[in-house]
Amino acid sequence: MPAEPRSTPTAPRLRRFRVDVGTIITVVVLVESLLLVALGYWGSQRLVSTIGESAHQADHARIEDKTIDYLAKAASVVQAIGESPSLRTAGEESGQTGELLWTLLQQSPELDSVYVADIDGRMLMVTRHPTPAVRHIAVDADGTTETWEYKPLPDDTSDTQQRFRTERIEALRTRYDPRERGWFHSALAKKGAAVWTPPYVFAAAQELGVTYAMPALRRDATGRSQSLVAAGDVTLGRLSEFVRQFSRAGYGDSALLSAQHQVLARSDVPGNVQTLDAPATGVLGAIHARMLADGSARGTASTGFGLDHEGRRYLVQASRIPSTGWRLISWVPEDRILGGLRRAVLWSLGLVLVSLALILAVSLRLSKLITTPVENLSRIARRIGRFDLDNLPRVQSRVLEIQHLDQALDDSARGLKAFRKFVPVDVVNQLIDEGHALTPNGGPRSITVMFTDVEGFTRISEATDSDVLVDQLTEYFNVATQVIARHGGTVDKFIGDGIMVLWGAPTELADAEHAACVAALDLHGELDALNARWAARGLLAFKTRIGIHTGVAVVGVLGSNDRLTYTAFGDAINVASRIEGINKELGTRVLISATTFAGLRGRLRTRRIEEVELRGRQTKLVLYELLG
């Protein structure tokens, strides 16, 4: 057999020494721990007390923030109802109001019922307990007629329409008059401001609770001004459950007192509050007595103190909830939060200083291995955050985790280079620079919207090879986006051969109407040149029709939690799309609405077109043809 060829020996590959951050931390902590154990602890009663007070204060602040947020969520729902343009208590449009109230209540576990009442004694109410129902109230000279539309119990398996269906209807005569209720008077007396009522017994649920109410001024079908009040109920049972939930996560207990020093909710007593009484017994009673004695129960400032009760010392924190005037009180046994810290003392201050000096020397040496490359990596990360992905440097380090981080950033940059072709990078950067949260959100804004469409594109696509058609579309979109960007527009999306463009979002743009119209004329000029080049190559021309409208739309970051897009929707968007489609019927190239025409102020040549009926709209619109 022939001899096997001998492999040529290769020089051993040198491996650079790298150490991971875990090893560094372990060595430092081990050395420091041995020194500290050998030296011992030294401390004072003041230091221990400060630690205990700080820990309890932080826990109290957490409960306070959660309470304020809980009430703010309930208030925001009522404010949304009060600001609804189509708010009605009776009549044909009351059905829409009932659906709005029902939807908001289902999405607001903080509230037990929401309702709206007017000065004429009519009221529309949606309740959650004891059974879901829509309650219609109408007051006349002989009393009150109540109509209850009972809904099915919550069922996640049924669809929205099934959950809102009416299972049965009951009508009865009562003496209930919403105009005589405290929340109605309080809201109207505030003259435009919202109010939290003192605790009282709810008429429908027969439970203790509070109401958030706000006035709303509307006009009826005859144009007469009408005062309405939108409100929502929160039962004390929900507050008790809420306070108990967050107190359970800490070391002690907490309670909510009303502005009249009545207990609304407390975590140290099982069950819900059934009667409105001032605290008289237990730790809470002792705390309240102390606060009444020193005047802090009536003040607005936060306070903290120690209290001895039945042979045990408690740390106490109290603060005021601004929107309601309620007082949040929390308390914790001092020995529970401090534990064994009282027994810890330092053996020698001088030895501690020596050990700290040694630790500082080692830390300074080790920090050079970490801080410099981390700073370089942070600069690279900031560039990646701005989608500046070209010519990124690499960072070399002996620290293994930093080397892994550098490789991860490089992989991210290469992935984003491919991904940024699919997302509007300029829009994302603009939203980040302006401080917009990249979470689902949106709001009304006046914008100018453009829709474009290629005339006879189906015919062109049938007569053109697919590869050639893709190249044509790419050239067409490149020209269009350059023109749009030149005139301050933002491409919202490509819809087949069409484009949806926004002026005035995400950044407000002065004179957006004029910019959009000039962009339309400029786009036709650029396309004429592009079509001339295509004609020389024997390709079919693209004739673009454009529709422009100015109006109010909801603009923002929309979508699911894991997939978002910046877009706009609303009547203004639909009108702009319909206007673009009218070009086909009228044989025009660029049509603009009357609102866009008004924004031009006669600076561009136009031709008035008499009122045109748009598909899907009952009212006709006056359109204008934009002339080159």
Side-chain angles (χ1 to χ4, degrees), residues 111-112 127-132 204-205 207 235 238:
L111 290 167
D112 290 272
T127 64
R128 189 193 309 273
H129 297 294
T131 57
E207 292 185 48
T235 63
R238 286 189 175 272

Side-chain angles (χ1 to χ4, degrees), residues 7 25 28 86 244 277 296 315 359 427 494 529 579:
S7 60
I25 295 177
V28 173
S86 59
R244 189 174 296 109
D277 299 311
S296 59
L315 298 178
I359 293 173
V427 173
F494 296 99
I579 292 175

Side-chain angles (χ1 to χ4, degrees), residues 109-135:
E110 299 83 9
L111 290 167
D112 290 272
S113 61
V114 289
Y115 43 93
V116 58
D118 61 24
I119 199 68
D120 295 326
R122 295 172 299 187
M123 177 173 167
L124 179 60
M125 181 180 192
V126 176
T127 64
R128 189 193 309 273
H129 297 294
T131 57
V134 177
R135 179 187 184 192

Side-chain angles (χ1 to χ4, degrees), residues 327-403:
R327 179 72 64 175
L328 173 65
I329 301 175
S330 62
W331 63 95
V332 59
E334 189 179 54
D335 54 358
R336 182 184 299 177
I337 196 171
L338 297 181
L341 289 177
R342 291 184 179 278
R343 298 184 296 273
V345 294
L346 294 174
W347 289 353
S348 171
L349 182 60
L351 293 177
V352 169
L353 293 176
V354 173
S355 65
L356 290 177
L358 293 174
I359 293 173
L360 179 61
V362 175
S363 299
L364 291 176
R365 178 63 179 172
L366 294 177
S367 64
K368 293 182 180 180
L369 297 174
I370 300 176
T371 56
T372 300
V374 166
E375 285 293 332
N376 294 333
L377 289 172
S378 67
R379 285 191 287 270
I380 295 174
R382 282 193 290 270
R383 289 183 59 184
I384 294 175
R386 297 191 302 268
F387 287 91
D388 180 11
L389 307 175
D390 299 322
N391 301 319
L392 292 176
R394 298 296 300 271
V395 175
Q396 300 296 328
S397 173
R398 292 183 181 274
V399 179
L400 187 61
E401 282 79 2
I402 293 179
Q403 197 71 20

Side-chain angles (χ1 to χ4, degrees), residues 93-123:
E93 297 185 2
S94 64
Q96 297 180 358
T97 301
E99 292 182 2
L100 171 65
L101 298 181
W102 176 267
T103 302
L104 291 176
L105 184 63
Q106 303 310 307
Q107 298 175 355
S108 308
E110 299 83 9
L111 290 167
D112 290 272
S113 61
V114 289
Y115 43 93
V116 58
D118 61 24
I119 199 68
D120 295 326
R122 295 172 299 187
M123 177 173 167

Side-chain angles (χ1 to χ4, degrees), residues 279-296:
T281 60
V283 181
L284 181 59
I287 294 172
H288 186 247
R290 159 71 183 273
M291 295 178 65
L292 287 176
D294 62 19
S296 59

Side-chain angles (χ1 to χ4, degrees), residues 484-498:
I484 291 166
R486 188 162 60 239
H487 293 283
T490 299
V491 175
D492 181 87
K493 60 175 67 74
F494 296 99
I495 311 171
D497 58 292

Side-chain angles (χ1 to χ4, degrees), residues 98-339:
E99 292 182 2
L100 171 65
L101 298 181
W102 176 267
T103 302
L104 291 176
L105 184 63
Q106 303 310 307
Q107 298 175 355
S108 308
E110 299 83 9
L111 290 167
D112 290 272
S113 61
V114 289
Y115 43 93
V116 58
D118 61 24
I119 199 68
D120 295 326
R122 295 172 299 187
M123 177 173 167
L124 179 60
M125 181 180 192
V126 176
T127 64
R128 189 193 309 273
H129 297 294
T131 57
V134 177
R135 179 187 184 192
H136 300 267
I137 295 176
V139 180
D140 53 37
D142 299 327
T144 302
T145 300
E146 295 193 21
T147 304
W148 290 73
E149 299 177 3
Y150 291 97
K151 307 296 181 179
L153 294 174
D155 183 3
D156 294 336
T157 61
S158 61
D159 58 26
T160 303
Q161 292 178 323
Q162 288 296 317
R163 290 197 302 268
F164 191 67
R165 76 180 189 274
T166 300
E167 291 190 333
R168 72 181 191 279
I169 299 177
E170 294 183 3
L172 63 154
R173 296 286 292 178
T174 67
R175 306 302 298 175
Y176 180 86
D177 190 340
R179 297 170 296 184
E180 298 176 355
R181 308 299 290 181
W183 53 266
F184 193 89
H185 292 291
S186 299
L188 292 184
K190 282 293 183 176
K191 296 181 180 180
V195 62
W196 282 99
T197 67
Y200 69 100
V201 177
F202 294 152
Q206 291 299 307
E207 292 185 48
L208 285 171
V210 292
T211 297
Y212 182 81
M214 65 174 292
L217 184 64
R218 296 291 187 276
R219 295 187 182 275
D220 59 16
T222 63
R224 180 172 64 93
S225 177
Q226 187 181 38
S227 296
L228 294 90
V229 174
D233 293 337
V234 178
T235 63
L236 296 188
R238 286 189 175 272
L239 288 176
S240 298
E241 178 184 351
F242 175 78
V243 170
R244 189 174 296 109
Q245 172 188 354
F246 289 107
S247 295
R248 193 180 299 121
Y251 293 102
D253 291 292
S254 60
L256 274 175
L257 302 186
S258 70
Q260 294 76 31
H261 311 297
Q262 300 164 324
V263 177
L264 302 180
R266 59 191 302 175
S267 64
D268 61 328
V269 175
N272 300 331
V273 174
Q274 302 296 330
T275 59
L276 295 174
D277 299 311
T281 60
V283 181
L284 181 59
I287 294 172
H288 186 247
R290 159 71 183 273
M291 295 178 65
L292 287 176
D294 62 19
S296 59
R298 301 176 181 86
T300 59
S302 300
T303 183
F305 54 88
L307 176 72
D308 294 319
H309 179 70
E310 296 182 351
R312 199 173 189 184
R313 185 165 182 80
Y314 293 86
L315 298 178
V316 181
Q317 288 288 329
S319 59
R320 183 174 177 270
I321 306 300
S323 59
T324 60
W326 299 344
R327 179 72 64 175
L328 173 65
I329 301 175
S330 62
W331 63 95
V332 59
E334 189 179 54
D335 54 358
R336 182 184 299 177
I337 196 171
L338 297 181

